[in-house]
Amino acid sequence: SDLSVYEYETYEASIEASYLEIYNEKPRDLLVDPSRANALQVRESPEVGVFVEGLSHHRVGSAQDVQRLIASGTKYRTIASTKYNRESSR
């Protein structure tokens, strides 16, 4: 069979990652320095569904990129003990 008669579609995709926590009912962007972070708002729209307005998005191209973002964001996580569990990081 002659493959030249077939037309093939090509697709291009990009992947972005975000990292947030909700602490005391407030969303926080873990990939932005807290001293420079803006207040985030949980919103809903018919086109997108539920989203967090103001949340940063970072393009990733590999598992290593994702691991770097997680490591970076983890240092900004809120870790607090509770009266029930001193080791809790929720």
Side-chain angles (χ1 to χ4, degrees), residues 2 6 12-13 17 21 28 32 36 38 45 47-48 55 60 64 69 71 73 87-88:
D2 184 8
Y6 294 102
E12 195 171 308
E21 77 173 345
R28 294 183 50 235
V32 174
R36 300 183 313 137
N38 296 322
S45 80
E47 298 83 23
V48 192
L55 184 64
V60 293
Q64 291 79 19
L69 287 177
E87 304 297 315
S88 173

Side-chain angles (χ1 to χ4, degrees), residues 6-90:
Y6 294 102
E7 188 173 316
Y8 293 96
E9 292 184 40
T10 59
Y11 296 93
E12 195 171 308
S14 65
I15 300 172
E16 294 181 334
S18 299
Y19 190 14
L20 74 108
E21 77 173 345
I22 299 175
Y23 184 74
N24 286 337
E25 299 184 25
K26 295 180 184 174
R28 294 183 50 235
D29 191 330
L30 295 177
L31 298 176
V32 174
D33 184 326
S35 66
R36 300 183 313 137
N38 296 322
L40 302 177
Q41 295 291 319
V42 177
R43 305 263 191 222
E44 185 173 6
S45 80
E47 298 83 23
V48 192
V50 177
F51 67 99
V52 179
E53 186 176 58
L55 184 64
S56 66
H57 301 271
H58 303 265
R59 182 174 260 175
V60 293
S62 67
Q64 291 79 19
D65 290 345
V66 174
Q67 289 173 330
R68 278 191 284 276
L69 287 177
I70 291 171
S72 175
T74 297
K75 66 183 175 188
Y76 293 132
R77 285 189 62 219
T78 302
I79 299 175
S81 64
T82 66
K83 65 181 179 180
Y84 299 108
N85 181 354
R86 292 185 189 278
E87 304 297 315
S88 173
S89 64
R90 289 182 267 164

